[in-house]
Amino acid sequence: MYNFLQKFHSGWAYVALLLLLVAVVNAIIGFTSKKDFTAKDRKIALFALIGTHTQLLIGLILYFVSPLGKAAFGQMSNAELRLTSLEHPLINLIAIVLITIGWSKHKKLINSEAKFKTFAIFYGLGLLLILSRIPWNLWF
């Protein structure tokens, strides 16, 4: 089960990152070009939200069955174990909270420019945090 979850988590990460990147680029383009916020823009952001939340659920399950997760939590002197057992889950959880806040805040806004700005900021910060804590040596 662990090997399947690890492969699925790594594979789904590409999908989630692509969706998040598309949402951030779409928000930046929409904000800078001052276009109207449409249903297509909302769906792009929603798919990014769903993709990252799915990745979070897979990651949480993996965390509790992985030898690099909860079991290695006390070994903070080892940088690789610290990354996979503490930094990666914690920072990515914060990133997904920011993405969720961005989604929630946009629903209260009426102005298209404000909606795009909210997505660009919150989804962009989430993307940066996620990219900063990916264990790149395990991906390649």
Side-chain angles (χ1 to χ4, degrees), residues 7 11 27 51 55 59-60 70-71 85-86 88 90 98 101 106 116 118 129 133:
K7 299 282 188 232
Q55 182 70 351
L60 286 174
K70 186 180 153 203
S85 67
L86 177 67
H88 176 74
L90 180 63
L98 286 172
I101 290 171
H106 107 276
F116 282 125
T118 299
L129 287 175
R133 292 296 105 198

Side-chain angles (χ1 to χ4, degrees), residues 52-72:
T52 55
H53 278 83
T54 303
Q55 182 70 351
L56 172 67
L57 289 174
I58 298 164
L60 286 174
I61 294 167
L62 183 62
Y63 184 75
F64 290 104
V65 299
S66 169
L68 298 175
K70 186 180 153 203

Side-chain angles (χ1 to χ4, degrees), residues 69-89:
K70 186 180 153 203
F73 193 71
Q75 301 177 15
M76 295 296 112
S77 60
N78 183 329
E80 186 174 317
L81 288 177
R82 184 178 61 243
L83 174 65
T84 56
S85 67
L86 177 67
E87 294 171 0
H88 176 74

